[in-house]
């Protein structure tokens, strides 16, 4: 949170560091539960590219929206006295004592609506491309256990270098629910009317993440050489040539159980292996 008055409270760098390392903690908290899906645009892209089932999309987005709304409520009550002292009780969206931008993004005076739209598309595309590069085990991924830190650093870098124009929403789930909260909490309908910006942090990041995912898949993912399939003890899987007649007994291999009885024709009954004796690299 940054408040500008007689004393500057907070800084732009502090906001970016908190944002980035907040993502890091989220990855560690929910990584093994849901894959740490905290961004609706990233979740949509994973579904659209076939990495995640569509049936999980509404569940994940509902959880993201609920968590973001409750986070806005928490921040409001923790910093209530600071906000009231700074604004004198007058909650505004624009102007020298505007505080709505603590919770959601708003365009500065030098930006137009469509420039802001393109800005959000670009920065979210960079985010998605970076996430795929960090987590793609076929490429050069982050070391296991460090993905959260590296993704957090990615968010900080995007914010510090590219976030000044539009506030880098890069996530519909972190912008729209807090905006609804500010509407309820006293900032009023102006949170949706200011430069008619409210829909851009919902649509532009979703489009940007999808484009970033496609760019990574087409220009990077498809060019990574695939490793050949590796089989353990391949000699065990060669064709076994058995004589037409042989004494009555049972022969068992690691691939299948073969029962051979004395008759005019051999009787072969393959049975699925009891253990996983073939290891194939998944792509």
């Amino acid at each position: 949170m940054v408040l500008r008055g007689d004393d500057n409270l907070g800084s732009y760098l502090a906001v970016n560091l908190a944002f980035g390392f907040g993502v890091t903690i989220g990855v560690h908290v929910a990584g093994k539960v849901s894959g740490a899906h905290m961004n609706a645009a990233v979740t949509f892209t994973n579904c659209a590219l076939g990495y995640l089932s569509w049936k999980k999309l509404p569940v994940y987005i509902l959880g993201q929206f609920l968590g973001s709304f409750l986070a806005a409520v928490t921040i409001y009550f923790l910093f209530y006295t600071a906000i009231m002292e700074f604004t004198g009780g007058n909650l505004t969206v624009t102007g020298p004592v505007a505080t709505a931008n603590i919770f959601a993004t708003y365009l500065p005076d030098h930006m137009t609506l469509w420039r802001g739209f393109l800005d959000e598309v670009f920065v979210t595309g960079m985010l998605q491309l970076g996430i795929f590069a960090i987590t793609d085990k076929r490429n050069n991924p982050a070391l296991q256990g460090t993905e959260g830190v590296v993704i957090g650093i990615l968010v900080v870098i995007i914010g510090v270098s590219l976030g000044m124009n539009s506030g880098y929403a890069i996530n519909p789930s972190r912008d729209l629910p807090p905006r609804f909260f500010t509407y309820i909490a006293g900032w009023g309908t102006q949170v949706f009317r200011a430069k008619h910006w409210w829909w851009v942090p919902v649509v532009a990041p979703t489009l940007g993440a999808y484009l970033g995912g496609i760019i990574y898949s087409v220009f990077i993912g498809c060019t990574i050489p695939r490793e050949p399939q590796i089989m353990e003890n391949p000699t065990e899987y060669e064709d076994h040539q058995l004589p037409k007649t042989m004494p009555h007994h049972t022969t068992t291999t690691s691939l299948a159980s073969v029962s051979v009885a004395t008759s005019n024709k051999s009787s072969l009954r393959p049975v699925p292996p009891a253990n996983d004796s073939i290891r194939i690299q998944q792509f």
Side-chain angles (χ1 to χ4, degrees):
M1 183 176 74
V2 179
L3 297 177
R4 300 296 186 188
D6 294 334
D7 297 321
N8 289 337
L9 303 178
S11 67
Y12 184 71
L13 178 61
V15 171
N16 288 281
L17 290 173
F19 191 6
F21 288 105
V23 171
T24 295
I25 298 302
V27 171
H28 283 285
V29 169
K32 288 294 185 180
V33 179
S34 65
H37 279 263
M38 298 175 285
N39 187 327
V42 173
T43 302
F44 170 82
T45 299
N46 277 269
C47 292
L49 297 181
Y51 301 132
L52 186 69
S53 172
W54 281 105
K55 66 182 180 181
K56 293 184 178 181
L57 180 66
V59 178
Y60 281 11
I61 290 181
L62 178 62
Q64 293 164 9
F65 274 43
L66 179 60
S68 183
F69 186 88
L70 293 177
V73 174
T74 302
I75 293 299
Y76 177 75
F77 283 105
L78 285 176
F79 293 96
Y80 176 80
T81 55
I83 293 172
M84 290 301 155
E85 181 180 357
F86 178 74
T87 62
N90 183 25
L91 302 178
T92 59
V93 176
T94 59
V97 292
T99 48
N101 55 3
I102 294 172
F103 302 90
T105 61
Y106 294 88
L107 278 181
D109 293 336
H110 71 273
M111 289 291 290
T112 64
L113 182 68
W114 290 107
R115 282 186 177 275
F117 184 95
L118 293 176
D119 187 82
E120 286 292 330
V121 169
F122 180 78
V123 295
T124 314
M126 295 298 295
L127 173 70
Q128 182 65 79
L129 190 150
I131 290 174
F132 275 173
I134 291 167
T135 59
D136 188 353
K137 296 187 182 301
R138 301 173 304 144
N139 195 354
N140 187 23
L143 296 176
Q144 185 175 1
T146 67
E147 297 91 345
V149 174
V150 179
I151 291 173
I153 293 173
L154 171 64
V155 173
V156 173
I157 292 172
I158 290 174
V160 170
S161 60
L162 300 170
M164 290 76 74
N165 281 333
S166 63
Y168 78 116
I170 64 174
N171 181 0
S173 301
R174 82 97 165 170
D175 194 274
L176 187 59
R179 195 179 297 272
F180 272 114
F181 170 74
T182 53
Y183 167 73
I184 297 170
W187 278 265
T189 58
Q190 191 64 19
V191 300
F192 295 105
R193 293 178 177 176
K195 290 194 174 183
H196 305 287
W197 169 255
W198 70 270
W199 62 273
V200 174
V202 177
V203 177
T206 304
L207 176 61
Y210 183 62
L211 293 176
I214 290 177
I215 290 171
Y216 181 87
S217 298
V218 172
F219 294 100
I220 300 175
C222 290
T223 62
I224 300 174
R226 295 190 175 187
E227 297 179 2
Q229 294 181 348
I230 301 174
M231 303 175 66
E232 292 183 355
N233 300 324
T235 56
E236 294 184 7
Y237 308 107
E238 296 178 353
D239 293 334
H240 295 277
Q241 296 185 1
L242 300 175
K244 290 186 177 180
T245 59
M246 60 186 304
H248 179 73
H249 68 278
T250 300
T251 303
T252 304
T253 70
S254 62
L255 177 63
S257 295
V258 182
S259 177
V260 182
T262 304
S263 61
N264 292 333
K265 295 182 179 181
S266 299
S267 177
L268 301 178
R269 298 173 184 172
V271 179
N275 54 7
D276 185 15
S277 56
I278 302 178
R279 184 176 303 161
I280 300 178
Q281 180 68 36
Q282 299 294 328
F283 296 100

